[in-house]
Amino acid sequence: MYLTQPLHRAVINHPDRIAVRFGQRQATFAEFAERVARLAAALQALGVQTGDRVAILALNSDRYLEYMMAVPWAGAVLNPCNIRWSVAENRYALEDSGTQVLLVDDAFASAAQELRGHSSVLRELVYIGDGSTPQGMRHYETLLQQHAPVPDAVRRGSDLAGIFYTGGTTGFPKGVMLSHNNMVSSGMQARAEQLVTPGGSYLHVAPMFHLADIGVAQAHWLEGNTHVILPMFNPEQVLAAIERDRVTDTLLVPTMIQMLVDHPAMREPRDLGSLRQIIYGASPISEAVLERAFQVLPGVGFVQAYGMTELSPLATINSAYNHSPEGRALGKLRSAGRSCYCSEVRVVDGEDNEVPRGTVGEVVVRGPGVMLGYWNKPEATAQAVQGGWMHTGDGAYMDQDGYIFIVDRMKDMIISGGENVYSVEVENALAQHPEVAACAVIGIPSEQWGESVHAVVVPKPGHKPSADALIAHCKTLIAGYKCPRSIELRDALPLSGAGKVLKTKLREPHWAALERQVA
């Protein structure tokens, strides 16, 4: 299997079908494939060789989609940068992966200049925006014009397709290595689970660097569907795109669904009849928001997908039926679903023995989506993948029908607005403030974000730092969404006999009234 195969198939089967729409630009599959082959040629001319990493730091666009196909076409490896990360975090990812070429748009042109100025490896910046090309950057369209299409390198199977950086429990990002088999198999599972409307169109509105969007998009590539793209989430623009482009499927995180269904534009007369399905992930959506969504989007199926970058990303699906009145009566709505086609899911104890149904343990997954490993981190890989099983760090129980119900996280991680936040990354940032003696970071319930980052800080003697000052300090070191939204000052942190911070004690008052310890 290889990432570019669906594009070849689409060119053979329906070359004149619209492949992509972005603003006033659109391209057929034949036109899109030629641009991909030209970009691949340009990358090779810039010195990109087989297995080299090529990064992108940009908002969603048709050129982003061309990057996703052209890099493997050139025989290279994808490395999409997180647009919400700080320059320091992305600099680490680029240095760690040895990335030499970075594509960048208007929104991140200045950040890219800063990245190159502090990098020992980054040597080429390619400008994919629509304005004047910044000094020292290559112009994207000029590169395409200057280079004739080249044949597909056809990297495939277990060959490395991409390195996707996530947060890390050590305070540093980890590069998840995914093969062509990993990424295509996840798309095939999504297709088998009927997450795709044949002959339909998929709206990219979630960030395209996310494996959630990449995985669902892969299923639409396999189907030969049209890709409609918005730069970023905006409720009015989403509704307009659904109407204008007859969108059938999209992926939204729960906070996006909430913003969409509660937006005043939703109360205006709309023709949203083309919309068949909304896939959501990262965390179960609140039932109150779902009820509002059912009312304003009648006839639209809602499907929850559970997974992680290390699984390419799909593990389980909670079907549209379980979101219907009949399905909800069965009590499966709060579930994260059950294993997808080709995947196995178990709940195990600390010795990797499967626990009885209804007993809480750790979710482990085996299947073709399990990553190759973490880039340059063999010890972390060995800890995460044991006997072919990916250990997710999520605590859950499985019912008699094979549905898993997430109840806790074994990793010290918070999921806020669909983004993973590792507590240690925030604690490392806080600890660098000159007035902080000790700190601990936990997730607390949030109606808007699912979970909110909360910090408990012990100031140094004679100091009383303000919450605003501590948060501003964190924003200079880590992404804004990782920074605390609330801060509590204490004289001391609760410690175990071994001197370990008892985060359970810190979490108890916030979660005591709830059934689960995570959102």
Side-chain angles (χ1 to χ4, degrees):
M1 294 184 284
Y2 52 106
L3 284 175
T4 54
Q5 185 274 336
L7 179 54
H8 290 289
R9 179 174 179 268
V11 171
I12 293 170
N13 291 354
H14 38 75
D16 297 327
R17 180 182 294 178
I18 298 299
V20 57
R21 287 194 179 99
F22 176 71
Q24 299 300 311
R25 297 198 295 257
Q26 67 177 35
T28 65
F29 277 98
E31 292 166 339
F32 183 84
E34 181 177 355
R35 288 177 60 83
V36 164
R38 287 180 179 273
L39 177 55
L43 292 174
Q44 291 174 348
L46 290 177
V48 172
Q49 300 180 15
T50 300
D52 284 353
R53 278 71 63 200
V54 179
I56 187 169
L57 179 59
L59 300 178
N60 298 351
S61 73
D62 50 347
R63 291 166 182 161
Y64 204 122
L65 209 59
E66 290 167 358
Y67 157 87
M68 293 296 299
M69 283 291 175
V71 171
W73 194 293
V77 175
L78 297 161
N79 182 203
C81 294
N82 190 323
I83 61 173
R84 301 186 68 185
W85 277 7
S86 67
V87 170
E89 289 167 311
N90 274 318
R91 181 168 62 244
Y92 175 89
L94 294 175
E95 292 289 298
D96 183 60
S97 62
T99 297
Q100 300 180 46
V101 178
L102 173 66
L103 280 64
V104 62
D105 66 0
D106 296 285
F108 299 98
S110 60
Q113 297 281 28
E114 186 176 350
L115 285 167
R116 182 166 60 179
H118 292 87
S119 174
S120 63
V121 294
L122 188 60
R123 55 180 176 79
E124 294 282 1
L125 297 181
V126 178
Y127 173 68
I128 67 171
D130 293 314
S132 299
T133 304
Q135 186 176 1
M137 295 190 188
R138 307 272 188 168
H139 184 250
Y140 184 86
E141 292 297 334
T142 300
L143 286 174
L144 266 62
Q145 292 168 11
Q146 290 175 341
H147 294 88
V150 294
D152 191 343
V154 194
R155 293 257 290 172
R156 62 176 68 207
S158 60
D159 290 336
L160 182 61
I163 302 176
F164 303 88
Y165 279 83
T166 70
T169 52
T170 62
F172 295 98
K174 293 184 293 187
V176 176
M177 297 187 293
L178 299 182
S179 69
H180 285 260
N181 279 346
N182 289 152
M183 298 180 69
V184 176
S185 67
S186 192
M188 293 178 72
Q189 289 191 95
R191 177 65 189 86
E193 294 286 350
Q194 300 181 345
L195 302 188
V196 177
T197 301
S201 59
Y202 171 65
L203 178 62
H204 294 261
V205 64
M208 290 175 72
F209 71 83
H210 256 298
L211 249 294
D213 181 77
I214 293 170
V216 174
Q218 184 64 31
H220 286 274
W221 280 115
L222 291 164
E223 191 63 44
N225 284 349
T226 298
H227 297 254
V228 178
I229 304 171
L230 293 178
M232 57 196 306
F233 178 78
N234 176 287
E236 291 187 66
Q237 292 179 13
V238 168
L239 294 173
I242 294 171
E243 276 191 306
R244 180 184 64 248
D245 298 311
R246 310 312 297 156
V247 168
T248 57
D249 304 82
T250 193
L251 167 77
L252 303 174
V253 300
T255 51
M256 291 179 181
I257 296 176
Q258 179 176 350
M259 293 170 67
L260 184 67
V261 301
D262 291 342
H263 197 275
M266 183 61 86
R267 294 190 286 271
E268 301 170 3
R270 294 280 183 181
D271 179 9
L272 305 178
S274 65
L275 188 61
R276 172 184 172 270
Q277 188 166 239
I278 293 177
I279 303 165
Y280 68 93
S283 63
I285 195 169
S286 76
E287 293 187 38
V289 172
L290 264 183
E291 286 292 345
R292 298 201 294 275
F294 293 153
Q295 292 174 11
V296 299
L297 294 169
V300 175
F302 285 80
V303 178
Q304 184 193 354
Y306 163 75
M308 60 194 308
T309 301
E310 289 89 337
L311 294 171
S312 307
L314 207 53
T316 66
I317 289 292
N318 198 12
S319 69
Y321 177 77
N322 288 333
H323 292 72
S324 69
E326 297 81 8
R328 290 161 66 194
L330 300 175
K332 309 296 187 186
L333 184 63
R334 301 304 297 174
S335 165
R338 53 183 174 183
S339 58
C340 298
Y341 289 96
C342 306
S343 292
E344 302 169 63
V345 176
R346 297 195 305 168
V347 178
V348 301
D349 60 20
E351 304 298 321
D352 275 355
N353 299 309
E354 191 165 2
V355 300
R357 299 292 173 98
T359 303
V360 175
E362 183 179 10
V363 179
V364 296
V365 182
R366 180 169 67 181
V370 174
M371 67 173 179
L372 297 176
Y374 294 116
W375 178 262
N376 290 333
K377 288 181 170 58
E379 292 182 1
T381 299
Q383 184 176 6
V385 183
Q386 301 174 29
W389 292 88
M390 178 68 208
H391 288 61
T392 66
D394 285 333
Y397 67 88
M398 182 182 288
D399 71 9
Q400 296 300 320
D401 299 317
Y403 287 86
I404 62 169
F405 292 77
I406 307 294
V407 298
D408 203 351
R409 292 196 189 94
M410 294 173 172
K411 292 179 181 177
D412 197 4
M413 186 177 75
I414 302 159
I415 298 183
S416 181
E419 297 281 3
N420 293 351
V421 179
Y422 287 89
S423 299
V424 68
E425 294 181 301
V426 190
E427 290 162 354
N428 285 347
L430 277 169
Q432 295 179 51
H433 192 281
E435 297 181 16
V436 172
C439 62
V441 171
I442 60 173
I444 62 175
S446 167
E447 184 175 342
Q448 181 178 7
W449 303 108
E451 291 177 275
S452 180
V453 181
H454 178 74
V456 181
V457 172
V458 178
K460 289 183 178 178
H463 294 279
K464 191 176 182 180
S466 69
D468 288 345
L470 292 173
I471 293 170
H473 163 77
C474 288
K475 287 182 177 179
T476 66
L477 299 171
I478 55 177
Y481 71 87
K482 297 180 181 180
C483 297
R485 293 183 180 272
S486 55
I487 290 181
E488 169 188 354
L489 298 183
R490 288 196 184 189
D491 294 332
L493 297 174
L495 301 176
S496 69
K500 183 178 180 180
V501 176
L502 295 172
K503 290 191 176 181
T504 53
K505 294 290 186 183
L506 298 177
R507 289 160 56 91
E508 276 176 4
H510 301 282
W511 295 91
L514 302 175
E515 293 180 5
R516 304 187 310 161
Q517 298 303 299
V518 292

